[in-house]
Amino acid sequence: MAMKRAATSAIRAFSSSSPSSFGSSGSSTRLLHVMSSLHGDVPGALGIRDWLESQGHQYIVTDDKEGLDSELEKHIPDLHVLITTPFHPAYVTEERIKRAKNLQLLLTAGIGSDHIDLNAAAAAGLTVAEVTGSNVVSVAEDELMRILMLVRNFLPGYHQVINGEWNVAAIAYRAYDLEGKTVGTVGAGRIGRLLLQRLKPFNCNLLYHDRIKMEPELEKQIGAKFEEDLDSMLSKCDIVVINTPLTEKTRGMFDKEKIAKMKKGVLIVNNARGAIMDTQAVVDACSSGQIGGYSGDVWNPQPAPKDHPWRYMPNHAMTPHVSGTTIDGQLRYAAGVKDMLDRYFKGEDFPAQNYIVKEGKLASQYL
């Protein structure tokens, strides 16, 4: 049964003692879990209520995370673990990290960490981790859906039906086949590679730009060509998909100048992070026709304010941050969070790919 309200879940030990070391067994741990109104078939917030309470932890649920008098602020000074989601996040700022004197572990129930000040977390010696891979299928499928919606000019037709209209010509003049189009992904990690695999049956020309070139056998299997120079790839693409993480290098990467290097009328799908795009540059390009269509589920900031310009720009197919929140995806990152908490309690390492910050050092993709 779907959870009806937003929730901030705090797991607080009955004992007031602090663990003597990271994840030391036999010691009580205070955990604060800030979450949005998701978890349709994951009862008890990630399905860990009974498990935690059986180990002597108290599980507190609240939707109060804003302001100095919030439940989140109340628990910051004495928590050891903070669990957040990227969909409607609690922002873990340098100021909050400084106040969290006992904090040891920051977990993302999903993928991404741009709501966390990673440099401050590293400086404080914290561990930051995510459930890497938990949303790969969900996001890649969502990207494919958005590509088809833009290419086929789906939304104007839907709006015609809602408005009682019938004007095929007003839809068809901007509708195309996906076959034969050139699609490029900026970033070819787990999601980017899976998207390319999903696109192969459509007989597209597939390109990718990434820090690391795929193995030749995988390239051949997927049918994608590596483009070392990003600008060169962008100039060839009918459709550009953003699949790169948000870092200091990628923040604002797609500005007016970068967008101008793309084909006029390019279609862009971005389920990565909103801040990779220059917000106003996207609005201007959609208005001028330089961008023929823009779709994604990520905004800057999140949640998007009511006056966010992307809500009102032409030729967009934006949604809230939903691509990774299928029931299947939720079950995967719920299991991943439980696994990492279990390892934390036992003093064991996480899977290497889950670390964002470990022992004061950022993972290479975030440098």
Side-chain angles (χ1 to χ4, degrees), residues 30-101:
R30 295 182 181 86
L31 304 92
L32 188 67
H33 178 188
V34 182
M35 54 189 285
S36 53
S37 52
L38 303 173
H39 311 293
D41 277 351
V42 189
L46 296 175
I48 56 178
R49 178 189 294 277
D50 292 344
W51 175 64
L52 287 162
E53 289 184 348
S54 72
Q55 298 188 46
H57 302 294
Q58 183 183 4
Y59 198 51
I60 302 168
V61 179
T62 178
D63 61 0
D64 185 12
K65 65 181 179 181
E66 305 294 341
L68 296 177
D69 296 327
S70 67
E71 196 72 14
L72 170 59
E73 290 290 337
K74 171 184 171 183
H75 290 286
I76 279 178
D78 58 6
L79 62 88
H80 301 116
V81 178
L82 178 61
I83 308 171
T84 60
T85 70
F87 316 109
H88 187 165
Y91 287 91
V92 186
T93 62
E94 181 179 8
E95 291 72 21
R96 281 178 164 168
I97 289 173
K98 286 180 177 178
R99 291 186 55 236
K101 302 298 184 182

Side-chain angles (χ1 to χ4, degrees), residues 26 50 64 71-72 79 99 104 106 130 148 167 194 201 218 220 227 229 241 250-252 274 297 304 310 314 319:
D50 292 344
D64 185 12
E71 196 72 14
L72 170 59
L79 62 88
R99 291 186 55 236
Q104 298 176 357
L106 289 161
E130 65 181 11
L148 288 168
N167 186 348
L194 189 58
L218 182 58
K220 182 178 179 181
E227 293 280 338
D229 184 83
V241 186
T250 62
R251 185 178 298 275
D297 71 334
W310 286 1
T319 68

Side-chain angles (χ1 to χ4, degrees), residues 100-116:
K101 302 298 184 182
N102 295 309
L103 184 61
Q104 298 176 357
L105 174 62
L106 289 161
L107 285 181
T108 296
I111 304 295
S113 60
D114 52 294
H115 56 288
I116 299 170

Side-chain angles (χ1 to χ4, degrees), residues 135-149 191 194-195 198 269 271 323 326 328 332:
N135 67 352
V136 169
V137 171
S138 307
V139 176
E141 288 184 357
D142 186 273
E143 289 177 342
L144 178 56
M145 174 190 72
R146 291 175 191 275
I147 289 171
L148 288 168
M149 288 176 67
I191 294 171
L194 189 58
L195 174 65
R198 296 288 195 266
V269 171
N271 281 357
S323 63
T326 63
D328 303 282
R332 285 191 293 269

Side-chain angles (χ1 to χ4, degrees), residues 251-262:
R251 185 178 298 275
M253 172 189 287
F254 286 87
D255 54 14
K256 179 180 179 180
E257 290 71 27
K258 188 70 74 177
I259 292 171
K261 294 177 180 179
M262 301 183 190

Side-chain angles (χ1 to χ4, degrees), residues 14 74 120 199 235 340 355:
F14 293 114
K74 171 184 171 183
L199 284 168
S235 68
M340 285 194 287
Y355 284 106

